[in-house]
Amino acid sequence: MNTTEVFLIAMLIILTVPYAVWRLGRTEHFAPLVVVQILTGIALGPGVLGAVFPDYYKFVFAPPVIQSLNGIAWWAVSLFVFIAGMELDLRAAWAHRKETSITAGLAFGFPFVLGSTAATVMVGEALWVGPQALNWQFVAGVGMSCSVTALPILMLFMEKLAILRQPLGQRILRYASIDDIAIWGVLAIILMDWQRVGKQALFLALFAGAAWGLRRAMAKLPSTDRWYVALIWLLLCAFGADWCGLHYMVGAFLAGVVLDAEWFDQDQLDLLRHHVLLVMMPVFFLSTGLRTSWGVGGAAVFLMAGVLLVASVVGKLAGVHLAGRILGWKPGEASLIGWLLQTKALIMIIFANVLLDKQIITADTFTALLLMAVGSTMLTIPVVTPKLAGWRG
């Protein structure tokens, strides 16, 4: 078969297998489709099916096919992160800045401290630390991974639970939005290449000036032109960030943050996010799975994933419960919010992908973080559903 035919076979597998598992297995209650896609990507990679059937893996995922899939994955995740940036409502967070800052700060800080503590123990083992990492970069990266809340996945979950447009849902979005900003800010610091700091300073200066001009121009553009200009802006920012040594995903997120979602039709924005998830993001999930390997670390990878999962869950719940006591929330409110903020999935996987690309973590650490993210996300719906019913009652 030629490369085109093998590529189409790979795409057929990517789209068919997770959908069949999700629909026939009726996993929606504990594993929504996005989680099934991530797990399927892991199963199709070299760590599972590729190890059992190496000939299948070499045939379907030959280097030319991988190269083509990577191109789709880069564009898909750039769009997804860009949309996540656009959906951050910084003005709402500022209007409720006391409550938002206390809750977001504690929800971010507690799991960061616990995750960083676990990472400090991991530093002594070559199995975990990437060849290009300084110890502080590794510790901060793992700590941040435990603090992540995936804003886009959180929105999908709250929409499913019918609380997205309610006051509770909007509060939770504010908390997650502030944490998202902190996550990408710390990532930019971790990736700061002091040998290329001049390039990075130039990029940030040009970005600030261009963003100011773009915001003035966007408000005057016809609505039909705004999407084209926004996509051009996305590509320029992604290229600039990657050129200066940050990462194209950092640029994509920054490109979205400086745009106001109100400039775009909300229904169109929701549809774009839905279609990116439907049409292109499964390819990114597969490329994530292709990086997943636990052949070297063995049981240690699963053990570390469990340790990080505990640090993430306990830290997030402890931080939110403390915020609830300080702010005088109703009984059960802190537990409900804390569990909803557990959703990691996509954003944490994107975050870990960047760390792996920059060789700050190893493939074993990446796999442990991936398993932690999937486990944390799968806990959310089963735990939150009865809590939400009791809270409403």
Side-chain angles (χ1 to χ4, degrees):
M1 294 186 183
N2 59 40
T3 301
T4 303
E5 292 167 345
V6 178
F7 170 81
L8 293 173
I9 290 174
M11 288 296 298
L12 184 64
I13 293 171
I14 292 167
L15 292 175
T16 303
V17 176
Y19 173 75
V21 172
W22 172 71
R23 177 54 67 199
L24 298 177
R26 298 182 179 180
T27 68
E28 185 65 24
H29 179 64
F30 61 92
L33 180 57
V34 63
V35 174
V36 175
Q37 288 170 330
I38 295 168
L39 292 173
T40 304
I42 296 172
L44 293 173
V48 182
L49 202 57
V52 179
F53 302 106
D55 291 338
Y56 132 82
Y57 185 79
K58 291 178 182 177
F59 171 71
V60 176
F61 300 114
V65 175
I66 291 292
Q67 187 175 14
S68 301
L69 293 174
N70 282 342
I72 297 174
W74 295 334
W75 179 233
V77 76
S78 295
L79 280 171
F80 199 88
V81 172
F82 175 67
I83 295 168
M86 289 175 63
E87 289 173 333
L88 296 185
D89 191 346
L90 301 183
R91 284 176 295 186
W94 179 252
H96 301 85
R97 53 189 175 276
K98 180 181 178 181
E99 178 205 13
T100 300
S101 59
I102 289 173
T103 307
L106 293 172
F108 173 87
F110 271 63
F112 179 79
V113 170
L114 292 182
S116 297
T117 302
T120 302
V121 177
M122 297 167 70
V123 163
E125 299 289 337
L127 180 67
W128 311 115
V129 183
Q132 298 298 319
L134 300 175
N135 285 348
W136 73 266
Q137 291 175 309
F138 176 81
V139 170
V142 174
M144 290 301 301
S145 298
C146 291
S147 298
V148 167
T149 295
L151 184 63
I153 305 303
L154 175 62
M155 293 178 69
L156 292 175
F157 281 8
M158 290 201 296
E159 192 171 35
K160 171 183 171 60
L161 295 167
I163 61 171
L164 178 60
R165 307 301 177 191
Q166 295 181 9
L168 176 64
Q170 293 301 300
R171 282 173 53 199
I172 295 171
L173 282 183
R174 289 199 298 271
Y175 309 149
S177 297
I178 296 301
D179 284 350
D180 259 24
I181 294 171
I183 287 159
W184 290 103
V186 171
L187 178 61
I189 294 172
I190 292 172
L191 298 180
M192 188 70 73
D193 184 345
W194 298 107
Q195 294 180 345
R196 291 195 281 181
V197 70
K199 277 187 173 183
Q200 292 167 346
L202 176 62
F203 165 72
L204 293 174
L206 291 174
F207 171 80
W212 178 82
L214 180 72
R215 286 185 58 82
R216 291 174 64 89
M218 285 291 274
K220 300 176 182 178
L221 286 174
S223 58
T224 52
D225 291 344
R226 288 175 183 169
W227 280 112
Y228 292 99
V229 174
L231 293 176
I232 293 169
W233 170 244
L234 160 62
L235 289 167
L236 287 172
C237 292
F239 170 78
D242 214 68
W243 166 80
C244 75
L246 292 175
H247 197 278
Y248 71 92
M249 292 187 206
V250 175
F253 182 77
L254 290 174
V257 166
V258 299
L259 299 180
D260 291 345
E262 64 190 32
W263 291 337
F264 306 89
D265 182 88
Q266 186 62 52
D267 291 337
Q268 289 183 349
L269 191 61
D270 290 342
L271 280 174
L272 178 59
R273 182 180 64 250
H274 170 76
H275 290 147
V276 170
L277 272 169
L278 174 68
V279 177
M280 293 193 294
M281 283 308 290
V283 179
F284 174 75
F285 298 142
L286 177 89
S287 67
T288 298
L290 297 181
R291 295 166 179 257
T292 306
S293 173
W294 42 71
V296 178
V301 171
F302 291 93
L303 177 62
M304 188 52 63
V307 170
L308 295 175
L309 178 61
V310 170
S312 172
V313 171
V314 171
K316 190 74 74 176
L317 291 175
V320 175
H321 273 84
L322 180 56
R325 298 187 71 175
I326 294 171
L327 297 169
W329 289 351
K330 298 176 183 177
E333 202 168 349
S335 180
L336 179 61
I337 292 172
W339 278 105
L340 277 167
L341 291 176
Q342 295 297 338
T343 54
K344 298 186 182 302
L346 187 57
I347 296 299
M348 205 236 72
I349 293 170
I350 291 171
F351 185 86
N353 261 286
V354 176
L355 298 180
L356 183 62
D357 283 344
K358 297 297 183 180
Q359 299 184 61
I360 292 170
I361 61 175
T362 64
D364 292 286
T365 305
F366 175 79
T367 302
L369 292 173
L370 180 66
L371 294 173
M372 180 267 284
V374 171
S376 177
T377 306
M378 288 181 67
L379 286 171
T380 303
I381 294 295
V383 173
V384 166
T385 300
K387 286 182 178 294
L388 185 60
W391 185 77
R392 282 170 170 165

